[in-house]
């Protein structure tokens, strides 16, 4: 959700983190692929319309195998 992404981006930025907030797993794959060592952590939702968080992480780990991930979900 764009509102949740924006709120989380604001909160993390206020805490001093540099945040790149995206609402598409395909955009995330493209952005990480353009500079794989730029990112220290991926924070993702497990449930997304285009693919699951696990599917996106598998793709990203091909690009950057050491990228730490925190996957969140509102579903149990």
């Amino acid at each position: 959700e764009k509102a949740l992404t924006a709120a989380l981006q604001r909160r993390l930025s206020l805490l001093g983190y540099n945040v790149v907030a995206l609402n598409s797993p395909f955009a995330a794959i493209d952005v990480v692929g353009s500079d794989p060592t730029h990112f220290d952590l991926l924070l993702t939702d497990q449930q997304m319309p285009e693919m699951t968080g696990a599917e996106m992480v598998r793709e990203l780990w091909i690009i950057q195998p050491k990228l730490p991930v925190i996957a969140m979900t509102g579903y149990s």
Side-chain angles (χ1 to χ4, degrees):
E1 293 182 27
K2 290 181 181 181
L4 182 57
T5 303
L8 192 54
Q9 180 181 19
R10 280 191 303 274
R11 174 58 89 182
L12 291 171
S13 294
L14 287 172
L15 292 171
Y17 294 98
N18 294 319
V19 180
V20 175
L22 303 164
N23 288 302
S24 163
F26 296 110
I29 292 166
D30 288 343
V31 169
V32 172
S34 70
D35 188 1
T37 62
H38 178 77
F39 298 92
D40 297 320
L41 175 70
L42 172 72
L43 193 62
T44 185
D45 193 348
Q46 178 54 23
Q47 300 297 322
M48 296 179 282
E50 298 165 311
M51 70 173 66
T52 68
E55 291 168 334
M56 180 183 68
V57 168
R58 279 193 289 276
E59 293 292 321
L60 288 170
W61 279 348
I62 293 169
I63 299 166
Q64 175 49 286
K66 295 183 180 185
L67 182 65
V69 175
I70 296 174
M72 304 175 292
T73 186
Y75 302 98
S76 57

Coordinates of all heavy atoms in Angstrom, one line a residue:
E1 N 0.8 -1.2 0.0 CA 0.0 0.0 0.0 C 0.9 1.2 0.0 O 1.8 1.3 0.8 CB -0.9 0.0 1.2 CG -1.9 -1.1 1.2 CD -2.8 -1.0 2.4 OE1 -3.0 0.1 3.0 OE2 -3.3 -2.1 2.8
K2 N 0.6 2.2 -0.9 CA 1.4 3.4 -1.0 C 1.4 4.2 0.3 O 2.4 4.8 0.6 CB 0.9 4.2 -2.2 CG 1.2 3.5 -3.5 CD 0.7 4.4 -4.7 CE 1.0 3.6 -6.0 NZ 0.6 4.4 -7.1
A3 N 0.3 4.3 1.0 CA 0.3 5.1 2.2 C 1.2 4.5 3.3 O 1.9 5.2 4.0 CB -1.2 5.2 2.7
L4 N 1.1 3.2 3.4 CA 2.0 2.5 4.4 C 3.4 2.7 4.0 O 4.3 2.9 4.9 CB 1.6 1.0 4.5 CG 2.3 0.2 5.5 CD1 2.2 0.8 6.9 CD2 1.8 -1.2 5.5
T5 N 3.8 2.5 2.7 CA 5.1 2.7 2.3 C 5.6 4.1 2.6 O 6.7 4.3 3.1 CB 5.2 2.4 0.7 OG1 4.7 1.1 0.5 CG2 6.7 2.5 0.2
A6 N 4.8 5.1 2.3 CA 5.2 6.5 2.6 C 5.4 6.7 4.0 O 6.4 7.4 4.5 CB 4.2 7.4 2.0
A7 N 4.5 6.2 4.9 CA 4.6 6.4 6.3 C 5.9 5.7 6.9 O 6.6 6.3 7.7 CB 3.4 5.9 7.0
L8 N 6.2 4.5 6.4 CA 7.4 3.8 6.9 C 8.6 4.5 6.4 O 9.6 4.7 7.1 CB 7.3 2.4 6.4 CG 8.3 1.4 7.0 CD1 8.3 1.4 8.5 CD2 8.1 0.0 6.4
Q9 N 8.6 5.0 5.2 CA 9.7 5.8 4.6 C 10.0 7.0 5.5 O 11.1 7.3 5.9 CB 9.5 6.2 3.2 CG 10.7 7.0 2.6 CD 10.5 7.4 1.2 OE1 9.3 7.4 0.7 NE2 11.5 7.7 0.5
R10 N 9.0 7.8 5.8 CA 9.1 9.0 6.6 C 9.7 8.6 8.0 O 10.6 9.3 8.5 CB 7.8 9.7 6.8 CG 7.4 10.6 5.6 CD 6.2 11.5 6.0 NE 5.0 10.7 6.4 CZ 4.1 10.2 5.6 NH1 4.2 10.3 4.3 NH2 3.1 9.5 6.1
R11 N 9.2 7.6 8.6 CA 9.6 7.2 10.0 C 11.1 6.8 10.0 O 11.9 7.2 10.8 CB 8.7 6.1 10.5 CG 9.2 5.5 11.8 CD 9.2 6.5 12.9 NE 7.9 6.6 13.5 CZ 7.6 7.4 14.5 NH1 8.5 8.3 14.9 NH2 6.4 7.5 15.0
L12 N 11.4 6.0 9.0 CA 12.8 5.5 9.0 C 13.8 6.6 8.6 O 14.9 6.7 9.1 CB 13.0 4.3 8.0 CG 12.3 3.0 8.4 CD1 12.3 2.0 7.3 CD2 13.0 2.5 9.6
S13 N 13.4 7.5 7.7 CA 14.2 8.7 7.4 C 14.4 9.6 8.6 O 15.5 10.1 8.8 CB 13.5 9.5 6.3 OG 13.5 8.7 5.1
L14 N 13.4 9.8 9.4 CA 13.5 10.6 10.6 C 14.5 9.9 11.6 O 15.1 10.6 12.4 CB 12.1 10.8 11.3 CG 11.2 11.7 10.6 CD1 9.8 11.7 11.3 CD2 11.7 13.2 10.7
L15 N 14.6 8.6 11.5 CA 15.6 7.9 12.4 C 17.0 7.9 11.8 O 17.9 7.4 12.4 CB 15.1 6.5 12.6 CG 13.8 6.3 13.4 CD1 13.3 4.9 13.4 CD2 14.0 6.8 14.9
G16 N 17.2 8.6 10.7 CA 18.5 8.7 10.1 C 18.8 7.7 9.0 O 20.0 7.8 8.5
Y17 N 17.9 6.9 8.6 CA 18.2 5.9 7.5 C 18.0 6.5 6.2 O 17.1 7.4 6.0 CB 17.3 4.7 7.7 CG 17.6 3.9 8.9 CD1 16.8 4.1 10.1 CD2 18.7 3.0 9.0 CE1 17.1 3.3 11.2 CE2 19.0 2.3 10.1 CZ 18.2 2.5 11.3 OH 18.5 1.8 12.4
N18 N 18.8 6.2 5.2 CA 18.5 6.5 3.8 C 17.6 5.4 3.2 O 18.0 4.2 3.2 CB 19.8 6.5 3.0 CG 20.7 7.7 3.5 OD1 20.3 8.8 3.7 ND2 22.0 7.4 3.6
V19 N 16.4 5.8 2.8 CA 15.4 4.9 2.4 C 15.0 5.1 0.9 O 14.8 6.2 0.4 CB 14.1 5.1 3.2 CG1 13.0 4.1 2.8 CG2 14.4 5.0 4.7
V20 N 15.0 4.0 0.2 CA 14.4 3.9 -1.2 C 13.1 3.1 -1.0 O 13.2 1.9 -0.8 CB 15.4 3.3 -2.2 CG1 14.7 3.1 -3.5 CG2 16.7 4.0 -2.2
A21 N 12.0 3.8 -1.2 CA 10.7 3.1 -1.0 C 10.1 2.9 -2.4 O 10.0 3.8 -3.2 CB 9.8 4.0 -0.2
L22 N 9.7 1.7 -2.6 CA 9.1 1.3 -3.9 C 7.9 0.5 -3.6 O 7.8 -0.2 -2.6 CB 10.1 0.5 -4.7 CG 11.4 1.2 -5.0 CD1 12.5 0.2 -5.5 CD2 11.2 2.2 -6.1
N23 N 6.9 0.5 -4.6 CA 5.7 -0.2 -4.4 C 5.5 -1.3 -5.4 O 4.4 -1.8 -5.6 CB 4.5 0.7 -4.5 CG 4.4 1.6 -3.2 OD1 4.3 1.1 -2.1 ND2 4.5 2.9 -3.4
S24 N 6.6 -1.7 -6.1 CA 6.5 -2.8 -7.0 C 7.7 -3.7 -6.9 O 8.9 -3.2 -6.8 CB 6.5 -2.2 -8.5 OG 6.9 -3.2 -9.4
P25 N 7.5 -5.0 -6.8 CA 8.7 -5.9 -6.7 C 9.6 -5.8 -7.9 O 10.8 -6.0 -7.8 CB 8.1 -7.3 -6.5 CG 6.6 -7.1 -6.9 CD 6.2 -5.7 -6.7
F26 N 9.0 -5.6 -9.1 CA 9.8 -5.5 -10.3 C 10.6 -4.2 -10.3 O 11.8 -4.3 -10.7 CB 8.9 -5.5 -11.5 CG 8.1 -6.8 -11.7 CD1 6.7 -6.8 -11.5 CD2 8.8 -8.0 -12.0 CE1 6.0 -8.0 -11.6 CE2 8.1 -9.2 -12.1 CZ 6.7 -9.2 -11.9
A27 N 10.1 -3.1 -9.7 CA 10.9 -1.9 -9.6 C 12.1 -2.2 -8.6 O 13.2 -1.7 -8.8 CB 10.1 -0.8 -9.1
A28 N 11.8 -2.9 -7.5 CA 12.9 -3.2 -6.5 C 14.0 -4.0 -7.2 O 15.2 -3.8 -7.0 CB 12.3 -3.9 -5.3
I29 N 13.6 -5.0 -8.0 CA 14.6 -5.9 -8.7 C 15.4 -5.0 -9.6 O 16.6 -5.1 -9.7 CB 13.9 -7.0 -9.4 CG1 13.3 -8.0 -8.4 CG2 14.9 -7.7 -10.3 CD1 12.3 -9.0 -8.9
D30 N 14.8 -4.1 -10.3 CA 15.5 -3.2 -11.2 C 16.5 -2.3 -10.5 O 17.6 -2.1 -10.9 CB 14.5 -2.4 -12.1 CG 13.8 -3.2 -13.1 OD1 14.3 -4.3 -13.5 OD2 12.8 -2.7 -13.6
V31 N 16.0 -1.7 -9.4 CA 16.8 -0.7 -8.7 C 18.0 -1.4 -8.0 O 19.1 -1.0 -8.1 CB 16.0 0.0 -7.6 CG1 16.8 0.8 -6.7 CG2 15.0 1.0 -8.3
V32 N 17.8 -2.5 -7.4 CA 18.9 -3.3 -6.7 C 19.8 -3.8 -7.8 O 21.0 -3.7 -7.7 CB 18.4 -4.5 -5.9 CG1 19.5 -5.3 -5.4 CG2 17.6 -3.9 -4.7
G33 N 19.3 -4.2 -8.9 CA 20.1 -4.7 -10.0 C 21.0 -3.6 -10.6 O 22.1 -3.9 -11.1
S34 N 20.6 -2.3 -10.5 CA 21.4 -1.2 -11.1 C 22.6 -0.9 -10.2 O 23.6 -0.3 -10.7 CB 20.5 0.0 -11.3 OG 20.1 0.6 -10.0
D35 N 22.5 -1.2 -8.9 CA 23.6 -1.0 -8.0 C 23.5 -1.9 -6.8 O 23.1 -1.5 -5.7 CB 23.6 0.5 -7.5 CG 24.9 0.9 -6.7 OD1 25.8 0.0 -6.6 OD2 24.9 2.0 -6.3
P36 N 23.9 -3.2 -7.0 CA 23.7 -4.2 -6.0 C 24.3 -4.0 -4.6 O 23.8 -4.4 -3.6 CB 24.2 -5.5 -6.6 CG 24.3 -5.2 -8.1 CD 24.5 -3.8 -8.2
T37 N 25.4 -3.3 -4.6 CA 26.1 -3.1 -3.3 C 25.6 -1.8 -2.5 O 26.1 -1.5 -1.4 CB 27.6 -3.0 -3.5 OG1 27.9 -1.9 -4.3 CG2 28.1 -4.3 -4.1
H38 N 24.7 -1.1 -3.1 CA 24.2 0.2 -2.5 C 23.3 -0.1 -1.3 O 23.2 0.8 -0.4 CB 23.4 1.0 -3.6 CG 22.8 2.3 -3.1 ND1 23.6 3.4 -2.8 CD2 21.6 2.6 -2.7 CE1 22.8 4.3 -2.4 NE2 21.6 3.9 -2.3
F39 N 22.7 -1.2 -1.3 CA 21.6 -1.5 -0.2 C 22.2 -2.4 0.9 O 22.8 -3.4 0.6 CB 20.4 -2.1 -0.9 CG 19.8 -1.2 -1.9 CD1 20.1 -1.3 -3.3 CD2 18.9 -0.3 -1.5 CE1 19.6 -0.4 -4.2 CE2 18.3 0.6 -2.5 CZ 18.7 0.5 -3.8
D40 N 21.8 -2.0 2.1 CA 22.2 -2.8 3.3 C 21.1 -3.7 3.8 O 21.4 -4.6 4.6 CB 22.6 -1.8 4.4 CG 23.8 -0.9 4.1 OD1 24.8 -1.5 3.4 OD2 23.8 0.3 4.4
L41 N 19.9 -3.4 3.4 CA 18.8 -4.2 4.0 C 17.6 -4.0 3.1 O 17.3 -3.0 2.5 CB 18.4 -3.7 5.4 CG 17.2 -4.3 6.1 CD1 17.5 -5.8 6.4 CD2 16.8 -3.5 7.3
L42 N 16.8 -5.1 2.9 CA 15.5 -5.1 2.2 C 14.4 -5.3 3.2 O 14.5 -6.3 4.0 CB 15.5 -6.1 1.1 CG 14.1 -6.3 0.4 CD1 13.8 -5.1 -0.5 CD2 14.1 -7.6 -0.3
L43 N 13.5 -4.4 3.3 CA 12.3 -4.6 4.1 C 11.1 -4.8 3.1 O 10.9 -3.9 2.3 CB 12.1 -3.3 4.9 CG 11.2 -3.3 6.1 CD1 11.6 -4.3 7.1 CD2 11.1 -1.9 6.7
T44 N 10.4 -5.9 3.2 CA 9.4 -6.2 2.2 C 8.2 -6.8 2.9 O 8.2 -7.4 4.0 CB 9.9 -7.2 1.2 OG1 8.9 -7.4 0.2 CG2 10.3 -8.6 1.7
D45 N 7.1 -6.7 2.2 CA 5.8 -7.3 2.6 C 5.8 -8.7 1.9 O 6.3 -8.9 0.8 CB 4.6 -6.5 2.1 CG 3.3 -7.0 2.8 OD1 3.3 -8.1 3.4 OD2 2.3 -6.3 2.7
Q46 N 5.3 -9.7 2.6 CA 5.2 -11.0 2.0 C 4.1 -11.1 1.0 O 4.2 -11.8 0.0 CB 5.0 -12.1 3.1 CG 4.8 -13.5 2.6 CD 5.9 -14.0 1.7 OE1 7.0 -13.5 1.8 NE2 5.6 -15.0 0.9
Q47 N 3.0 -10.3 1.1 CA 1.9 -10.4 0.2 C 1.9 -9.2 -0.7 O 1.7 -8.0 -0.2 CB 0.6 -10.5 1.0 CG 0.5 -11.7 1.9 CD 0.5 -13.0 1.1 OE1 -0.1 -13.1 0.0 NE2 1.2 -14.0 1.6
M48 N 2.1 -9.4 -2.0 CA 2.0 -8.3 -2.9 C 1.3 -8.7 -4.1 O 1.2 -9.9 -4.4 CB 3.5 -7.8 -3.4 CG 4.3 -7.3 -2.2 SD 6.0 -6.8 -2.7 CE 6.8 -8.4 -2.8
P49 N 0.6 -7.8 -4.9 CA -0.2 -8.3 -6.0 C 0.6 -8.9 -7.2 O 0.1 -9.8 -7.8 CB -0.8 -7.0 -6.5 CG -0.6 -6.0 -5.5 CD 0.5 -6.4 -4.6
E50 N 1.8 -8.5 -7.4 CA 2.5 -9.0 -8.6 C 3.3 -10.2 -8.3 O 3.5 -11.0 -9.3 CB 3.5 -7.9 -9.1 CG 2.7 -6.6 -9.5 CD 3.6 -5.4 -9.7 OE1 4.4 -5.1 -8.7 OE2 3.4 -4.7 -10.7
M51 N 3.9 -10.4 -7.1 CA 4.6 -11.6 -6.7 C 4.7 -11.6 -5.2 O 4.5 -10.6 -4.6 CB 5.9 -11.7 -7.4 CG 7.0 -10.7 -7.0 SD 8.7 -11.0 -7.6 CE 8.5 -10.7 -9.3
T52 N 5.0 -12.7 -4.6 CA 5.2 -12.7 -3.2 C 6.5 -12.2 -2.8 O 7.4 -12.1 -3.6 CB 5.1 -14.2 -2.6 OG1 6.2 -14.9 -3.1 CG2 3.8 -14.9 -3.0
G53 N 6.7 -11.8 -1.5 CA 7.9 -11.3 -1.1 C 9.0 -12.4 -1.2 O 10.2 -12.0 -1.6
A54 N 8.7 -13.6 -1.0 CA 9.7 -14.7 -1.1 C 10.1 -14.8 -2.5 O 11.3 -15.1 -2.8 CB 9.1 -16.0 -0.6
E55 N 9.2 -14.7 -3.5 CA 9.6 -14.8 -4.9 C 10.6 -13.6 -5.3 O 11.6 -13.8 -6.0 CB 8.4 -14.7 -5.8 CG 7.6 -16.0 -5.7 CD 6.2 -15.8 -6.4 OE1 5.7 -14.7 -6.5 OE2 5.7 -16.9 -6.8
M56 N 10.3 -12.4 -4.8 CA 11.1 -11.3 -5.0 C 12.5 -11.4 -4.4 O 13.5 -11.2 -5.0 CB 10.5 -10.0 -4.5 CG 11.3 -8.8 -4.8 SD 10.6 -7.2 -4.1 CE 10.8 -7.5 -2.4
V57 N 12.5 -11.9 -3.2 CA 13.8 -12.2 -2.5 C 14.7 -13.2 -3.3 O 15.9 -13.0 -3.4 CB 13.6 -12.6 -1.0 CG1 14.9 -13.1 -0.4 CG2 13.0 -11.4 -0.2
R58 N 14.0 -14.2 -3.8 CA 14.8 -15.2 -4.6 C 15.5 -14.5 -5.8 O 16.6 -14.8 -6.1 CB 13.9 -16.4 -5.0 CG 13.8 -17.4 -3.9 CD 13.1 -18.7 -4.4 NE 11.8 -18.5 -4.8 CZ 10.7 -18.6 -4.0 NH1 10.9 -18.9 -2.7 NH2 9.5 -18.5 -4.4
E59 N 14.7 -13.6 -6.4 CA 15.3 -12.9 -7.6 C 16.4 -12.0 -7.1 O 17.4 -11.9 -7.8 CB 14.2 -12.1 -8.3 CG 13.1 -13.0 -8.9 CD 13.7 -13.7 -10.1 OE1 14.5 -13.2 -10.9 OE2 13.3 -14.9 -10.3
L60 N 16.2 -11.3 -6.0 CA 17.2 -10.3 -5.6 C 18.5 -11.0 -5.1 O 19.6 -10.5 -5.2 CB 16.6 -9.5 -4.4 CG 15.6 -8.4 -4.9 CD1 14.9 -7.8 -3.7 CD2 16.2 -7.4 -5.8
W61 N 18.3 -12.2 -4.5 CA 19.5 -12.9 -4.0 C 20.3 -13.5 -5.2 O 21.5 -13.8 -5.0 CB 19.1 -14.0 -3.1 CG 18.8 -13.5 -1.7 CD1 19.2 -12.3 -1.2 CD2 18.3 -14.2 -0.6 NE1 18.8 -12.2 0.1 CE2 18.2 -13.4 0.5 CE3 17.7 -15.5 -0.5 CZ2 17.7 -13.7 1.8 CZ3 17.2 -15.9 0.8 CH2 17.2 -15.0 1.9
I62 N 19.8 -13.6 -6.3 CA 20.6 -13.9 -7.5 C 21.5 -12.7 -7.8 O 22.7 -12.9 -8.2 CB 19.7 -14.2 -8.7 CG1 18.9 -15.5 -8.5 CG2 20.5 -14.3 -10.0 CD1 17.8 -15.8 -9.5
I63 N 21.0 -11.5 -7.7 CA 21.7 -10.3 -7.9 C 22.7 -10.0 -6.8 O 23.8 -9.6 -7.0 CB 20.8 -9.1 -8.1 CG1 19.8 -9.4 -9.3 CG2 21.5 -7.8 -8.3 CD1 18.6 -8.4 -9.4
Q64 N 22.2 -10.1 -5.6 CA 23.0 -9.7 -4.4 C 22.7 -10.8 -3.3 O 21.8 -10.6 -2.5 CB 22.6 -8.3 -3.9 CG 23.2 -7.8 -2.6 CD 24.7 -8.0 -2.5 OE1 25.2 -9.1 -2.3 NE2 25.5 -6.9 -2.6
P65 N 23.5 -11.9 -3.3 CA 23.2 -13.0 -2.4 C 23.4 -12.7 -0.9 O 22.8 -13.4 -0.1 CB 24.3 -14.1 -2.8 CG 25.0 -13.5 -4.0 CD 24.6 -12.1 -4.2
K66 N 24.1 -11.6 -0.6 CA 24.3 -11.3 0.9 C 23.3 -10.3 1.4 O 23.5 -9.8 2.5 CB 25.7 -10.9 1.1 CG 26.7 -12.0 0.8 CD 28.1 -11.6 1.1 CE 29.0 -12.8 0.8 NZ 30.4 -12.5 1.2
L67 N 22.3 -9.9 0.6 CA 21.4 -8.8 1.0 C 20.5 -9.4 2.2 O 19.8 -10.3 2.0 CB 20.5 -8.4 -0.2 CG 19.5 -7.3 0.1 CD1 20.2 -6.0 0.4 CD2 18.6 -7.1 -1.1
P68 N 20.6 -8.7 3.3 CA 19.7 -9.1 4.4 C 18.3 -8.7 4.1 O 18.0 -7.7 3.5 CB 20.3 -8.4 5.6 CG 21.6 -7.9 5.3 CD 21.6 -7.7 3.8
V69 N 17.3 -9.5 4.6 CA 15.9 -9.3 4.3 C 15.1 -9.4 5.6 O 15.3 -10.3 6.4 CB 15.4 -10.3 3.3 CG1 13.9 -10.1 3.1 CG2 16.1 -10.2 2.0
I70 N 14.2 -8.4 5.8 CA 13.1 -8.5 6.8 C 11.8 -8.6 6.0 O 11.5 -7.7 5.3 CB 13.1 -7.3 7.8 CG1 14.4 -7.3 8.6 CG2 11.9 -7.4 8.7 CD1 14.6 -6.1 9.4
A71 N 11.1 -9.7 6.2 CA 9.8 -9.9 5.5 C 8.7 -9.7 6.5 O 8.7 -10.3 7.6 CB 9.7 -11.2 4.8
M72 N 7.7 -8.8 6.2 CA 6.6 -8.6 7.1 C 5.3 -9.1 6.4 O 5.3 -9.2 5.2 CB 6.5 -7.1 7.4 CG 7.7 -6.4 7.9 SD 7.6 -4.7 8.0 CE 7.5 -4.2 6.3
T73 N 4.3 -9.3 7.2 CA 3.0 -9.6 6.7 C 1.9 -9.2 7.7 O 2.2 -9.3 8.9 CB 2.9 -11.1 6.3 OG1 1.7 -11.3 5.7 CG2 3.0 -12.0 7.5
G74 N 0.8 -8.9 7.2 CA -0.4 -8.6 8.1 C -1.2 -9.9 8.2 O -2.2 -9.9 8.9
Y75 N -0.8 -10.9 7.5 CA -1.5 -12.2 7.5 C -0.7 -13.2 8.3 O 0.5 -13.2 8.3 CB -1.7 -12.7 6.1 CG -2.5 -11.8 5.2 CD1 -1.8 -10.9 4.3 CD2 -3.8 -11.7 5.2 CE1 -2.5 -10.0 3.5 CE2 -4.5 -10.8 4.4 CZ -3.8 -10.0 3.6 OH -4.5 -9.1 2.8
S76 N -1.5 -14.1 8.9 CA -0.8 -15.2 9.7 C -0.7 -16.5 8.9 O -1.3 -16.6 7.9 CB -1.5 -15.5 11.0 OG -2.8 -15.8 10.8

